Amino acid sequence: TASEEVKCAAIKVTKTADAASVSAGSPIGFTVTVENTGLGEAKGVALKDALPGGNTLTPVTWAIDGSTGNPTSFEVGGVAGSQQLLLKGQPVSLAAGASLSVHVTAGTSSTSCTSYNNTAEATTTNDGSSTASASEEVLCAAIKVEKTADAASVSAGSPIGFTVTVKNEGAGTATGVELKDALP
C-alpha cells in the first residue's frame, strides 16, 4: 500500500486603513497583507488592487512606504487616478505560512476631500481567491471670517471697534491658519 497527502494552500488578503478619517493635508494610507495560512504552497498568486484616485481633476498619487513590511515584493503602476498595487513579478508562489505586506501612502490637499474606498483581491491557481476592503476619508476645513463694526457710526471722541471671528465650519482640522487684517 501507499498513500500521498495533498496539502492545500489557503490564501488570505487583508487591507487596513491608517485611520477612519484624516484632515486635508495629512497623508492617507493602507496596509495590504497577502498570506498563505494553509499547509501547502500557494501557486500562481496575484494581487489586484486598484488604488482609489480621489477627485477626478486632482487625483492623489500613491507610493510604497519603503520602511514597512516587504516593500520590495510590491509595485505601484499606472498614472495618478488609476494606479494599481501589484505583487512584483506576479504571479508568484507563497510557501505555507508565509506572508507579504506593504504600506502604501498618498499625500492630500484641500482638493483631496472625499472617501477613498479600496478593495484588494488575491488570486491563486490552486486555492481560489480572497478579497478585503477598507476605507479612509479626507475631511476638509472650511474657514470663514466674520467682521462686524461695534456701531454704524459714533460721535467724535467716542471709541470705535470691530469684532473679528475666525471659524472652521468644515469637518477637517484647519492647519496653518493666518489672519491678515489691515486696520484702518
Side-chain angles (χ1 to χ4, degrees), residues 22-28 106-113 138-141 172-175:
V22 299
S23 294
S26 298
I28 56 175
T108 67
S109 68
S110 61
T111 62
S112 304
C113 297
V138 177
L139 305 173
C140 274
T173 300
T175 58

Side-chain angles (χ1 to χ4, degrees), residues 68-109:
T68 303
N70 312 97
T72 59
S73 296
F74 294 84
E75 61 187 358
V76 173
V79 297
S82 60
Q83 291 178 291
Q84 296 272 336
L85 176 65
L86 307 168
L87 287 167
K88 190 174 279 183
Q90 66 182 34
V92 300
S93 292
L94 204 53
S99 68
L100 297 170
S101 67
V102 68
H103 181 237
V104 291
T105 63
T108 67
S109 68

Side-chain angles (χ1 to χ4, degrees), residues 7-51:
K7 295 183 178 182
C8 292
I11 200 70
K12 180 180 178 186
V13 65
T14 56
K15 179 170 271 262
T16 308
D18 289 356
S21 64
V22 299
S23 294
S26 298
I28 56 175
F30 296 99
T31 298
V32 180
T33 303
V34 179
E35 62 183 318
N36 177 6
T37 60
L39 299 175
E41 180 181 29
K43 296 184 179 185
V45 180
L47 177 67
K48 297 175 189 171
D49 188 353
L51 297 169

Side-chain angles (χ1 to χ4, degrees), residues 15 30 47-52 117-121 130-134:
K15 179 170 271 262
F30 296 99
L47 177 67
K48 297 175 189 171
D49 188 353
L51 297 169
N117 303 313
N118 193 214
T119 299
E121 179 182 24
S130 172
T131 61
S133 298

